[in-house]
Structure formats: structure tokens, C-alpha cells
Amino acid sequence: MTAILNHIADQTPSGPAMRSDASSSPAGVKTILRLEGAAAFAAAIALYAHAGFSWPLFAILLLAPDLAMLPYLIGPRAGAAAYNLVHTYALPLPLALAGFWFASPIVAALGLIWIAHIGMDRMLGYGLKYASGFADTHLGRIGRN
């Protein structure tokens, strides 16, 4: 998994996905990806509420996945790889499902909080990172151009 994410992070944005105008991905695609993130965010919150999990725990841990930005202190390649590993649904979705399947409320809650975080990020326009820098994402460049 890490090798795949490293390969993706090493890809330099180019072509239609990285234009020089204000938006680096076509408006329709960016909107769809943001709506998809909003749907994941809403679904995770709905499941969390339905299961009756702790809201203080939710509030405390919602931003915890962003600790994966710390490897940016080492460099953009390490930062992008760590950030992307933690900001993909490939880990929290099976975690949440396993929590429900094995009747482990804490595991299910952690998975749903993690999914909510990723969905919130996507909804707000924060995408997976390229190794060229923190601001270069699959949803376009973030920050000032």
C-alpha cells in the first residue's frame, strides 16, 4: 500500500489535471469529488449517531488524522506519502466494518471518525497530495496561487 501511495505522490501534476488557471481540475469534476466527500462525511456522522457513540470522542479525534502532516517536516515526499496513506478510505472503511462485525464499539467509532475526517477534507477541497508540495492536490492547488 505504501509503495502504491509513494508512486501516486511522485506523479507530477500535468496536462488537463494541472492547468495554469485558478482551478487545477475541471469545475465539474472538482464539484463531484467535493459532493462525494460531503456524502461520506454525512454518512459517517449518521452512522455514528445511530450507533450512539460518544460525541466528545468524535470532537476530540476528528482532526487527529491531520497529525499525518508531521512527516512534511522531513520533506514533501515523506509528507505526501504519510498524508495520503492516512487520507484514503482504504484503511478506515475496513476498520469501521470490522468494528461493527466484531461488535467492537471503539473500533467502529474510530473508523467512522476517520471516514468523517476524510469526507470533511474532500468536501472542503483538500485532496491527496503530490510530492511536489503540500498545496498540490488531486483536487487542485490549495491556498494562494
Side-chain angles (χ1 to χ4, degrees), residues 16 20-21 31-33 50 97-98 102-104 126 134 143:
S20 61
D21 61 10
T31 300
I32 290 169
L33 291 172
H50 180 73
L97 292 173
F102 294 109
S104 175
Y126 295 98
F134 182 80

Side-chain angles (χ1 to χ4, degrees), residues 54-111:
S54 166
W55 289 107
L57 180 69
F58 186 91
I60 290 167
L61 295 179
L62 182 61
L63 298 178
D66 282 338
L67 291 173
M69 288 189 278
L70 289 176
Y72 272 100
L73 296 173
I74 297 168
R77 187 170 190 263
Y83 185 93
N84 291 346
L85 180 64
V86 174
H87 285 82
T88 179
Y89 296 111
L91 298 176
L93 184 57
L95 181 70
L97 292 173
F100 283 112
W101 182 263
F102 294 109
S104 175
I106 189 67
V107 172
L110 291 174

Side-chain angles (χ1 to χ4, degrees), residues 123-141:
M123 177 180 70
L124 296 174
Y126 295 98
L128 297 175
K129 309 300 183 194
Y130 291 106
S132 56
F134 182 80
D136 297 328
T137 80
H138 84 285
L139 292 176
R141 188 155 176 82

Side-chain angles (χ1 to χ4, degrees), residues 1-10 80-81 84-86 88 128:
M1 177 66 112
T2 304
I4 293 169
L5 292 172
N6 277 333
H7 175 72
I8 292 169
D10 286 341
N84 291 346
L85 180 64
V86 174
T88 179
L128 297 175

